[in-house]
Coordinates of all heavy atoms in Angstrom, one line a residue:
M127 N 5.5 12.9 4.3 CA 5.2 11.8 5.2 C 6.3 10.8 5.2 O 6.8 10.4 4.1 CB 3.9 11.1 4.7 CG 2.6 11.9 4.5 SD 2.1 12.5 6.1 CE 2.6 14.2 6.1
R128 N 6.6 10.3 6.4 CA 7.7 9.3 6.5 C 7.0 7.9 6.2 O 6.0 7.6 6.7 CB 8.2 9.3 7.9 CG 9.4 8.5 8.1 CD 10.6 9.2 7.6 NE 11.8 8.4 7.7 CZ 12.9 8.6 6.9 NH1 12.9 9.5 6.0 NH2 13.9 7.8 7.1
V129 N 7.7 7.2 5.3 CA 7.2 5.8 5.1 C 8.4 4.9 5.1 O 9.4 5.2 4.6 CB 6.4 5.8 3.7 CG1 7.3 6.2 2.5 CG2 5.9 4.4 3.4
I130 N 8.1 3.8 5.8 CA 9.2 2.7 5.9 C 8.6 1.5 5.2 O 7.5 1.0 5.6 CB 9.5 2.4 7.4 CG1 10.1 3.7 8.0 CG2 10.4 1.2 7.5 CD1 10.3 3.5 9.5
F131 N 9.3 0.9 4.3 CA 9.0 -0.4 3.7 C 10.0 -1.4 4.3 O 11.2 -1.4 4.0 CB 9.2 -0.3 2.1 CG 8.3 0.6 1.4 CD1 8.6 1.9 1.1 CD2 7.0 0.1 1.0 CE1 7.7 2.7 0.5 CE2 6.1 0.9 0.4 CZ 6.5 2.3 0.1
E132 N 9.4 -2.1 5.3 CA 10.2 -3.0 6.1 C 11.2 -3.8 5.3 O 10.9 -4.6 4.4 CB 9.3 -4.0 6.9 CG 8.8 -3.4 8.1 CD 8.1 -4.4 9.0 OE1 7.8 -5.5 8.6 OE2 7.7 -4.0 10.2
G133 N 12.5 -3.6 5.6 CA 13.6 -4.4 5.0 C 13.9 -4.0 3.6 O 14.7 -4.7 2.9
R134 N 13.2 -3.0 3.1 CA 13.4 -2.6 1.6 C 13.8 -1.2 1.4 O 14.3 -0.9 0.3 CB 12.1 -3.0 0.9 CG 11.7 -4.4 1.2 CD 10.8 -5.0 0.2 NE 10.3 -6.2 0.6 CZ 9.9 -7.2 -0.1 NH1 10.1 -7.1 -1.4 NH2 9.4 -8.3 0.4
G135 N 13.5 -0.3 2.3 CA 13.8 1.1 2.1 C 12.9 2.0 2.8 O 11.8 1.6 3.4
E136 N 13.2 3.3 2.9 CA 12.4 4.2 3.6 C 12.7 5.6 3.1 O 13.7 5.8 2.4 CB 12.6 4.2 5.1 CG 14.0 4.4 5.5 CD 14.1 4.2 7.0 OE1 14.4 3.1 7.4 OE2 13.9 5.2 7.8
G137 N 11.8 6.6 3.4 CA 12.1 7.9 3.0 C 10.8 8.8 3.3 O 9.9 8.4 4.0
T138 N 10.9 10.0 2.8 CA 9.8 11.0 3.0 C 9.2 11.3 1.7 O 9.9 11.6 0.7 CB 10.4 12.2 3.7 OG1 11.0 11.8 5.0 CG2 9.3 13.2 4.0
V139 N 7.8 11.4 1.7 CA 7.1 11.7 0.4 C 6.0 12.7 0.8 O 5.7 12.8 2.0 CB 6.5 10.4 -0.2 CG1 7.6 9.4 -0.6 CG2 5.5 9.8 0.7
P140 N 5.4 13.4 -0.2 CA 4.4 14.4 0.1 C 3.1 13.7 0.6 O 2.8 12.6 0.4 CB 4.1 15.0 -1.3 CG 5.3 14.7 -2.1 CD 5.9 13.4 -1.6
Y141 N 2.4 14.5 1.4 CA 1.1 14.1 2.0 C 0.2 13.6 0.8 O 0.2 14.2 -0.2 CB 0.5 15.3 2.7 CG -0.9 15.1 3.3 CD1 -1.0 14.5 4.6 CD2 -2.0 15.3 2.6 CE1 -2.2 14.3 5.1 CE2 -3.3 15.1 3.1 CZ -3.4 14.6 4.4 OH -4.6 14.4 4.9
D142 N -0.6 12.6 1.1 CA -1.6 12.1 0.1 C -0.9 11.3 -1.0 O -1.6 11.0 -2.0 CB -2.5 13.2 -0.4 CG -4.0 12.8 -0.3 OD1 -4.3 12.0 0.6 OD2 -4.8 13.2 -1.1
T143 N 0.3 11.0 -1.0 CA 1.0 10.1 -2.0 C 0.5 8.7 -1.7 O 0.3 8.3 -0.6 CB 2.5 10.2 -1.8 OG1 2.9 11.5 -1.9 CG2 3.2 9.3 -2.8
T144 N 0.2 8.0 -2.8 CA -0.2 6.6 -2.6 C 1.0 5.8 -2.2 O 2.2 6.2 -2.4 CB -0.8 5.9 -3.8 OG1 0.2 5.8 -4.8 CG2 -2.0 6.7 -4.3
I145 N 0.8 4.7 -1.5 CA 1.9 3.8 -1.1 C 2.7 3.4 -2.4 O 3.9 3.3 -2.4 CB 1.4 2.6 -0.3 CG1 0.8 3.1 1.0 CG2 2.5 1.6 -0.1 CD1 0.2 1.9 1.8
L146 N 2.0 3.1 -3.5 CA 2.6 2.7 -4.7 C 3.5 3.8 -5.3 O 4.7 3.6 -5.6 CB 1.6 2.3 -5.8 CG 2.2 1.9 -7.1 CD1 3.2 0.7 -7.0 CD2 1.1 1.5 -8.1
Q147 N 3.0 5.0 -5.3 CA 3.8 6.2 -5.7 C 5.0 6.4 -4.8 O 6.1 6.7 -5.3 CB 2.9 7.5 -5.7 CG 1.8 7.5 -6.8 CD 0.9 8.6 -6.6 OE1 0.6 9.1 -5.4 NE2 0.3 9.1 -7.7
A148 N 4.8 6.2 -3.5 CA 5.9 6.3 -2.6 C 7.0 5.3 -2.9 O 8.2 5.6 -2.9 CB 5.4 6.2 -1.2
A149 N 6.6 4.1 -3.2 CA 7.6 3.0 -3.5 C 8.4 3.4 -4.7 O 9.6 3.2 -4.8 CB 6.8 1.7 -3.7
R150 N 7.7 3.9 -5.7 CA 8.3 4.3 -7.0 C 9.3 5.4 -6.7 O 10.5 5.4 -7.1 CB 7.3 4.7 -8.0 CG 6.6 3.6 -8.6 CD 5.4 4.2 -9.4 NE 5.0 3.3 -10.5 CZ 3.9 3.4 -11.2 NH1 3.2 4.5 -11.0 NH2 3.6 2.6 -12.1
L151 N 8.9 6.4 -5.9 CA 9.8 7.6 -5.6 C 11.0 7.1 -4.8 O 12.1 7.7 -5.0 CB 9.0 8.6 -4.8 CG 7.9 9.4 -5.5 CD1 7.1 10.2 -4.5 CD2 8.6 10.4 -6.5
L152 N 10.9 6.1 -4.0 CA 12.0 5.7 -3.2 C 12.7 4.5 -3.7 O 13.5 3.9 -3.0 CB 11.4 5.3 -1.8 CG 10.7 6.5 -1.1 CD1 10.0 6.1 0.2 CD2 11.7 7.6 -0.7
D153 N 12.4 4.1 -5.0 CA 13.0 3.0 -5.7 C 12.9 1.7 -4.9 O 13.8 0.9 -4.8 CB 14.5 3.3 -5.9 CG 14.7 4.3 -7.0 OD1 13.9 4.3 -7.9 OD2 15.7 5.1 -6.8
V154 N 11.7 1.5 -4.3 CA 11.4 0.2 -3.7 C 10.5 -0.6 -4.6 O 9.4 -0.2 -5.0 CB 10.6 0.5 -2.4 CG1 10.1 -0.8 -1.7 CG2 11.5 1.2 -1.4
P155 N 11.0 -1.8 -5.0 CA 10.2 -2.6 -5.9 C 8.9 -3.0 -5.3 O 8.8 -3.5 -4.2 CB 11.1 -3.8 -6.2 CG 12.4 -3.4 -5.8 CD 12.3 -2.4 -4.7
L156 N 7.8 -2.8 -6.0 CA 6.5 -3.2 -5.5 C 5.6 -3.6 -6.8 O 5.4 -2.8 -7.7 CB 5.8 -2.0 -4.8 CG 4.7 -2.3 -3.8 CD1 4.4 -1.1 -2.9 CD2 3.5 -2.9 -4.3
T157 N 5.2 -4.8 -6.8 CA 4.4 -5.4 -7.9 C 3.2 -4.6 -8.1 O 2.4 -4.3 -7.2 CB 4.1 -6.9 -7.7 OG1 5.3 -7.5 -7.4 CG2 3.5 -7.5 -8.9
H158 N 2.8 -4.3 -9.4 CA 1.6 -3.6 -9.7 C 1.2 -3.8 -11.1 O 1.3 -2.9 -12.0 CB 1.8 -2.1 -9.4 CG 2.9 -1.4 -10.1 ND1 4.2 -1.6 -9.8 CD2 2.9 -0.6 -11.2 CE1 5.0 -0.9 -10.6 NE2 4.3 -0.3 -11.5
Y159 N 0.7 -5.0 -11.4 CA 0.5 -5.4 -12.8 C -0.5 -4.6 -13.5 O -0.4 -4.4 -14.8 CB 0.0 -6.9 -12.8 CG 1.1 -7.9 -12.5 CD1 0.8 -9.2 -12.4 CD2 2.5 -7.5 -12.5 CE1 1.9 -10.1 -12.1 CE2 3.5 -8.4 -12.2 CZ 3.2 -9.7 -12.0 OH 4.2 -10.6 -11.8
C160 N -1.5 -4.1 -12.9 CA -2.5 -3.3 -13.6 C -2.2 -1.8 -13.7 O -3.0 -1.0 -14.2 CB -3.9 -3.5 -13.0 SG -4.2 -2.5 -11.5
G161 N -1.0 -1.5 -13.2 CA -0.6 -0.1 -13.3 C -1.2 0.9 -12.4 O -1.3 2.1 -12.6
G162 N -1.8 0.3 -11.3 CA -2.4 1.2 -10.3 C -3.9 1.5 -10.5 O -4.4 2.5 -10.1
N163 N -4.5 0.6 -11.3 CA -5.9 0.9 -11.6 C -6.9 0.1 -10.8 O -8.1 0.0 -11.1 CB -6.2 0.5 -13.1 CG -5.5 1.6 -14.0 OD1 -5.7 2.8 -13.8 ND2 -4.7 1.1 -14.9
C164 N -6.5 -0.5 -9.7 CA -7.4 -1.1 -8.7 C -8.1 -2.3 -9.3 O -9.3 -2.5 -9.1 CB -8.3 -0.1 -8.1 SG -9.1 -0.7 -6.6
T165 N -7.4 -3.1 -10.2 CA -8.1 -4.2 -10.8 C -7.3 -5.6 -10.6 O -7.9 -6.6 -10.7 CB -8.3 -4.0 -12.3 OG1 -7.0 -3.8 -12.9 CG2 -9.2 -2.9 -12.6
C166 N -6.0 -5.5 -10.2 CA -5.3 -6.8 -10.2 C -5.0 -7.3 -8.8 O -4.9 -8.5 -8.6 CB -4.0 -6.6 -10.9 SG -2.8 -5.6 -10.0
G167 N -4.9 -6.5 -7.8 CA -4.6 -6.9 -6.5 C -3.2 -7.3 -6.2 O -2.8 -7.6 -5.0
T168 N -2.3 -7.1 -7.2 CA -0.9 -7.5 -6.9 C -0.1 -6.5 -6.1 O 1.0 -6.8 -5.7 CB -0.1 -7.8 -8.3 OG1 -0.2 -6.6 -9.0 CG2 -0.7 -8.9 -9.0
C169 N -0.7 -5.4 -5.9 CA 0.0 -4.3 -5.1 C -0.4 -4.4 -3.6 O -0.1 -3.5 -2.8 CB -0.2 -2.9 -5.6 SG -2.0 -2.4 -5.4
R170 N -1.0 -5.5 -3.2 CA -1.4 -5.7 -1.9 C -0.2 -5.6 -0.9 O 0.8 -6.3 -1.1 CB -2.1 -7.1 -1.7 CG -2.5 -7.4 -0.3 CD -3.2 -8.7 -0.2 NE -2.5 -9.8 -0.7 CZ -1.6 -10.5 0.0 NH1 -1.3 -10.1 1.2 NH2 -1.0 -11.5 -0.5
V171 N -0.4 -4.9 0.2 CA 0.6 -4.8 1.2 C 0.0 -4.9 2.6 O -1.2 -4.7 2.8 CB 1.4 -3.4 1.1 CG1 2.2 -3.3 -0.1 CG2 0.4 -2.2 1.3
G172 N 0.8 -5.3 3.6 CA 0.4 -5.3 5.0 C 0.8 -3.9 5.6 O 1.7 -3.3 5.1
I173 N 0.1 -3.5 6.6 CA 0.5 -2.3 7.3 C 0.9 -2.7 8.7 O 0.1 -3.1 9.6 CB -0.7 -1.3 7.4 CG1 -1.3 -1.1 5.9 CG2 -0.3 0.0 8.0 CD1 -0.3 -0.5 5.0
A174 N 2.2 -2.5 9.0 CA 2.7 -2.9 10.3 C 2.4 -1.8 11.4 O 2.2 -2.1 12.6 CB 4.2 -3.2 10.2
E175 N 2.5 -0.6 11.0 CA 2.1 0.5 11.9 C 1.5 1.6 11.1 O 1.9 1.9 9.9 CB 3.4 1.1 12.5 CG 4.1 0.2 13.5 CD 5.4 0.8 14.0 OE1 5.4 2.1 14.2 OE2 6.3 0.1 14.2
G176 N 0.5 2.3 11.7 CA 0.0 3.5 11.1 C -1.2 3.3 10.2 O -1.5 4.2 9.3
A177 N -1.9 2.2 10.3 CA -3.1 2.0 9.5 C -4.1 3.1 9.5 O -4.8 3.4 8.6 CB -3.7 0.6 9.8
D178 N -4.2 3.7 10.7 CA -5.1 4.8 10.9 C -4.6 6.1 10.3 O -5.3 7.1 10.3 CB -5.4 5.0 12.4 CG -4.2 5.3 13.2 OD1 -3.1 4.9 12.8 OD2 -4.3 6.0 14.2
R179 N -3.4 6.1 9.7 CA -2.9 7.3 9.0 C -2.9 7.1 7.5 O -2.1 7.8 6.8 CB -1.4 7.5 9.6 CG -1.5 7.9 11.1 CD -0.1 8.3 11.6 NE 0.8 7.3 11.7 CZ 1.0 6.5 12.8 NH1 0.3 6.8 13.9 NH2 1.9 5.6 12.9
L180 N -3.7 6.2 7.1 CA -3.9 6.0 5.6 C -5.3 6.5 5.3 O -6.2 6.5 6.1 CB -3.8 4.5 5.3 CG -2.4 4.0 5.4 CD1 -2.4 2.4 5.2 CD2 -1.4 4.6 4.3
S181 N -5.6 6.9 4.0 CA -6.9 7.2 3.6 C -7.8 6.0 3.7 O -7.4 4.8 3.7 CB -6.9 7.7 2.1 OG -6.3 6.6 1.3
E182 N -9.1 6.2 3.9 CA -10.1 5.2 4.0 C -10.2 4.4 2.7 O -10.1 5.0 1.6 CB -11.5 5.8 4.3 CG -11.6 6.4 5.7 CD -11.5 5.3 6.8 OE1 -12.1 4.2 6.7 OE2 -10.8 5.6 7.8
P183 N -10.4 3.1 2.7 CA -10.6 2.3 1.5 C -11.9 2.9 0.8 O -12.9 3.2 1.4 CB -10.9 0.9 2.0 CG -10.4 0.9 3.4 CD -10.5 2.2 3.9
R184 N -11.7 3.0 -0.6 CA -12.8 3.5 -1.4 C -13.0 2.6 -2.6 O -12.2 1.8 -2.9 CB -12.5 4.9 -1.9 CG -12.5 6.0 -0.8 CD -12.3 7.3 -1.4 NE -11.1 7.4 -2.2 CZ -10.8 8.3 -3.0 NH1 -11.5 9.3 -3.2 NH2 -9.6 8.3 -3.7
G185 N -14.2 2.8 -3.2 CA -14.4 2.1 -4.5 C -14.2 0.6 -4.4 O -14.8 0.0 -3.5
N186 N -13.5 0.1 -5.3 CA -13.3 -1.4 -5.4 C -12.2 -1.9 -4.6 O -12.0 -3.1 -4.6 CB -13.0 -1.7 -6.9 CG -14.2 -1.5 -7.8 OD1 -15.3 -1.5 -7.3 ND2 -14.0 -1.4 -9.1
E187 N -11.5 -1.1 -3.8 CA -10.4 -1.6 -3.1 C -10.7 -2.9 -2.3 O -10.0 -3.9 -2.4 CB -9.7 -0.6 -2.2 CG -8.5 -1.1 -1.4 CD -7.8 -0.1 -0.6 OE1 -8.1 1.1 -0.6 OE2 -6.8 -0.5 0.1
Q188 N -11.7 -2.8 -1.5 CA -12.0 -4.0 -0.6 C -12.5 -5.2 -1.4 O -12.1 -6.3 -1.1 CB -13.0 -3.6 0.5 CG -12.4 -2.6 1.5 CD -13.2 -2.4 2.7 OE1 -14.3 -2.0 2.6 NE2 -12.7 -2.6 3.9
M189 N -13.2 -5.0 -2.5 CA -13.6 -6.1 -3.4 C -12.3 -6.7 -4.0 O -12.2 -8.0 -4.1 CB -14.5 -5.6 -4.5 CG -15.1 -6.7 -5.3 SD -16.0 -6.1 -6.7 CE -14.7 -5.6 -7.8
V190 N -11.4 -5.9 -4.5 CA -10.2 -6.5 -5.1 C -9.3 -7.2 -4.1 O -8.8 -8.2 -4.4 CB -9.4 -5.4 -5.9 CG1 -8.1 -5.9 -6.4 CG2 -10.3 -4.8 -7.0
L191 N -9.3 -6.7 -2.9 CA -8.5 -7.3 -1.8 C -9.1 -8.6 -1.4 O -8.3 -9.6 -1.1 CB -8.5 -6.4 -0.6 CG -7.3 -5.4 -0.4 CD1 -7.6 -4.5 0.8 CD2 -6.0 -6.1 -0.3
G192 N -10.4 -8.7 -1.4 CA -11.1 -9.9 -0.9 C -11.4 -9.6 0.6 O -10.7 -8.9 1.3
E193 N -12.5 -10.3 1.0 CA -13.0 -10.0 2.3 C -12.0 -10.3 3.4 O -11.8 -9.5 4.4 CB -14.3 -10.8 2.5 CG -15.0 -10.5 3.8 CD -16.3 -11.3 3.8 OE1 -16.9 -11.6 2.8 OE2 -16.7 -11.7 5.0
Q194 N -11.3 -11.5 3.3 CA -10.4 -11.9 4.4 C -9.2 -10.9 4.5 O -8.8 -10.5 5.6 CB -9.9 -13.3 4.1 CG -9.0 -13.8 5.2 CD -8.5 -15.2 5.0 OE1 -8.9 -15.9 4.0 NE2 -7.6 -15.7 5.8
R195 N -8.6 -10.6 3.4 CA -7.5 -9.7 3.4 C -7.9 -8.3 3.9 O -7.1 -7.6 4.6 CB -6.9 -9.6 2.0 CG -6.3 -10.8 1.5 CD -5.0 -11.2 2.2 NE -4.4 -12.3 1.5 CZ -3.3 -13.0 2.0 NH1 -2.8 -12.6 3.2 NH2 -2.8 -14.0 1.4
A196 N -9.0 -7.8 3.5 CA -9.5 -6.5 3.9 C -9.7 -6.5 5.4 O -9.3 -5.6 6.1 CB -10.8 -6.2 3.2
R197 N -10.3 -7.6 5.9 CA -10.5 -7.7 7.4 C -9.2 -7.8 8.1 O -9.1 -7.3 9.3 CB -11.4 -9.0 7.6 CG -12.1 -8.9 9.0 CD -13.1 -10.1 9.2 NE -12.7 -11.3 8.7 CZ -13.4 -12.0 7.7 NH1 -14.5 -11.5 7.2 NH2 -12.9 -13.2 7.3
Q198 N -8.2 -8.4 7.5 CA -6.8 -8.4 8.2 C -6.2 -7.0 8.2 O -5.1 -6.9 8.8 CB -5.9 -9.4 7.5 CG -6.3 -10.8 7.7 CD -5.5 -11.8 6.8 OE1 -4.7 -11.3 5.9 NE2 -5.6 -13.1 7.0
G199 N -6.7 -6.1 7.4 CA -6.1 -4.8 7.4 C -5.1 -4.6 6.3 O -4.5 -3.5 6.2
D200 N -5.0 -5.5 5.3 CA -4.2 -5.3 4.2 C -4.8 -4.2 3.3 O -6.0 -3.9 3.4 CB -4.1 -6.6 3.3 CG -3.3 -7.6 3.9 OD1 -2.7 -7.4 5.0 OD2 -3.1 -8.7 3.3
R201 N -4.0 -3.6 2.5 CA -4.4 -2.5 1.6 C -3.8 -2.6 0.3 O -2.8 -3.3 0.1 CB -3.9 -1.1 2.2 CG -4.5 -0.7 3.6 CD -6.0 -0.5 3.6 NE -6.4 0.4 2.6 CZ -6.6 1.7 2.9 NH1 -6.4 2.2 4.1 NH2 -7.0 2.6 2.0
L202 N -4.4 -2.0 -0.7 CA -3.8 -1.9 -2.0 C -2.9 -0.7 -2.1 O -3.4 0.4 -1.8 CB -4.9 -1.8 -3.1 CG -5.8 -3.1 -3.3 CD1 -6.8 -2.8 -4.4 CD2 -5.0 -4.3 -3.6
A203 N -1.7 -0.9 -2.4 CA -0.7 0.2 -2.4 C -1.1 1.3 -3.4 O -0.8 2.5 -3.2 CB 0.7 -0.3 -2.7
C204 N -1.8 0.9 -4.5 CA -2.2 1.9 -5.5 C -3.4 2.8 -5.0 O -3.7 3.8 -5.7 CB -2.4 1.3 -6.8 SG -3.9 0.3 -6.9
Q205 N -4.0 2.4 -4.0 CA -5.2 3.1 -3.5 C -5.0 3.8 -2.2 O -5.6 4.9 -2.0 CB -6.4 2.2 -3.4 CG -6.8 1.5 -4.7 CD -7.1 2.4 -5.8 OE1 -8.0 3.3 -5.6 NE2 -6.4 2.3 -6.9
A206 N -4.2 3.2 -1.3 CA -4.1 3.8 0.1 C -3.1 5.0 0.0 O -2.0 4.9 -0.5 CB -3.5 2.7 1.0
R207 N -3.6 6.1 0.5 CA -2.8 7.4 0.5 C -2.2 7.7 1.9 O -2.9 7.5 2.9 CB -3.7 8.5 0.1 CG -4.1 8.4 -1.4 CD -4.9 9.5 -1.9 NE -5.2 9.3 -3.3 CZ -4.4 9.6 -4.3 NH1 -3.2 10.2 -4.0 NH2 -4.7 9.4 -5.5
L208 N -1.0 8.1 1.9 CA -0.3 8.4 3.1 C -0.7 9.7 3.7 O -0.5 10.7 3.1 CB 1.3 8.3 2.9 CG 1.8 7.0 2.4 CD1 3.1 7.2 1.7 CD2 1.9 6.1 3.6
Q209 N -1.2 9.7 5.0 CA -1.6 10.9 5.6 C -0.9 11.0 7.0 O -1.3 11.8 7.8 CB -3.1 10.9 5.8 CG -3.8 10.9 4.4 CD -5.3 10.8 4.4 OE1 -5.9 10.4 5.4 NE2 -5.9 11.1 3.2
G210 N 0.2 10.3 7.1 CA 1.0 10.3 8.3 C 2.0 9.2 8.2 O 2.0 8.4 7.2
P211 N 2.9 9.1 9.2 CA 4.0 8.0 9.1 C 3.4 6.6 9.2 O 2.5 6.3 10.0 CB 4.9 8.3 10.3 CG 4.3 9.5 11.0 CD 3.0 9.9 10.4
V212 N 3.9 5.8 8.3 CA 3.4 4.4 8.1 C 4.5 3.4 7.9 O 5.5 3.8 7.3 CB 2.4 4.4 7.0 CG1 2.0 2.9 6.7 CG2 1.1 5.2 7.3
V213 N 4.4 2.2 8.5 CA 5.3 1.2 8.2 C 4.6 0.1 7.4 O 3.6 -0.4 7.8 CB 5.9 0.5 9.5 CG1 6.8 -0.6 9.2 CG2 6.5 1.6 10.4
V214 N 5.2 -0.2 6.2 CA 4.5 -1.1 5.2 C 5.3 -2.4 5.1 O 6.5 -2.4 5.1 CB 4.5 -0.4 3.8 CG1 3.9 -1.3 2.8 CG2 3.7 0.9 3.9
K215 N 4.5 -3.5 5.0 CA 5.2 -4.8 4.8 C 4.8 -5.3 3.4 O 3.6 -5.5 3.1 CB 4.7 -5.8 5.8 CG 5.1 -5.5 7.2 CD 4.5 -6.5 8.2 CE 5.2 -7.8 8.1 NZ 4.9 -8.6 9.3
I216 N 5.8 -5.4 2.5 CA 5.5 -5.9 1.2 C 5.6 -7.4 1.2 O 6.7 -8.0 1.6 CB 6.5 -5.3 0.2 CG1 6.4 -3.8 0.1 CG2 6.3 -5.9 -1.2 CD1 7.5 -3.1 -0.7
P217 N 4.5 -8.1 0.8 CA 4.6 -9.6 0.9 C 5.5 -10.2 -0.2 O 5.7 -9.5 -1.2 CB 3.2 -10.0 0.6 CG 2.5 -8.9 -0.1 CD 3.3 -7.7 0.3
D218 N 6.1 -11.3 0.1 CA 6.8 -12.0 -0.9 C 5.8 -12.8 -1.8 O 5.2 -13.7 -1.3 CB 7.9 -13.0 -0.3 CG 9.0 -12.2 0.4 OD1 9.4 -11.2 -0.1 OD2 9.3 -12.6 1.5
W219 N 5.7 -12.4 -3.0 CA 4.6 -13.0 -3.8 C 5.1 -14.3 -4.5 O 4.4 -15.3 -4.5 CB 4.2 -12.0 -4.9 CG 3.1 -11.1 -4.5 CD1 3.2 -9.8 -4.0 CD2 1.7 -11.4 -4.5 NE1 2.0 -9.3 -3.7 CE2 1.0 -10.3 -4.0 CE3 1.0 -12.5 -4.8 CZ2 -0.3 -10.2 -3.9 CZ3 -0.4 -12.5 -4.7 CH2 -1.1 -11.3 -4.2
F220 N 6.1 -14.2 -5.3 CA 6.4 -15.3 -6.2 C 7.8 -15.9 -5.9 O 8.7 -15.2 -5.4 CB 6.4 -14.8 -7.6 CG 5.1 -14.1 -8.0 CD1 5.0 -12.7 -8.2 CD2 3.9 -14.8 -8.1 CE1 3.8 -12.1 -8.5 CE2 2.7 -14.2 -8.4 CZ 2.7 -12.8 -8.6
Ligands
FES7 S1 -1.7 -2.1 -9.0 FE1 -3.3 -3.4 -9.6 S2 -4.6 -3.2 -7.9 FE2 -3.0 -1.9 -7.4

């Protein structure tokens, strides 16, 4: 799957790779304090293109994101899996 991290890097990763795993594979820095366990929310990303080509939110993802962020279409990089080409926006956190 082709994935572009706007302004930070891009590349191709296997189908069903999480956005966080893709960032690691492509050496794109992406904050993930809880190590990908869906508890911290620091891996939150925006989706500029291809939101419909990600796996559906499951489990605690929407709760950890918060209602407003979830409604805006943000995703947790450790939970969202790439099922087609996607353009990801990594927020500037700190
Ligand atoms: S890395 Fe903590 S929620 Fe994704």
Side-chain angles (χ1 to χ4, degrees):
M127 300 295 103
R128 190 80 182 153
V129 58
I130 297 171
F131 293 93
E132 277 189 348
R134 309 202 190 209
E136 61 185 90
T138 302
V139 298
Y141 180 87
D142 229 28
T143 301
T144 67
I145 293 173
L146 178 58
Q147 290 169 332
R150 287 169 154 171
L151 288 169
L152 299 171
D153 288 325
V154 172
L156 205 167
T157 305
H158 55 285
Y159 286 172
C160 76
N163 290 310
C164 197
T165 58
C166 71
T168 58
C169 68
R170 175 176 58 81
V171 294
I173 307 300
E175 289 179 36
D178 59 333
R179 296 187 286 268
L180 292 170
S181 60
E182 291 292 319
R184 291 184 304 167
N186 290 339
E187 180 176 353
Q188 290 190 304
M189 184 188 78
V190 173
L191 268 173
E193 190 177 324
Q194 183 180 353
R195 296 287 188 190
R197 200 170 39 240
Q198 289 172 351
D200 286 0
R201 299 295 305 266
L202 294 181
C204 68
Q205 301 302 305
R207 296 182 174 277
L208 297 159
Q209 298 176 342
V212 171
V213 180
V214 177
K215 295 175 73 162
I216 299 175
D218 292 320
W219 270 99
F220 306 109

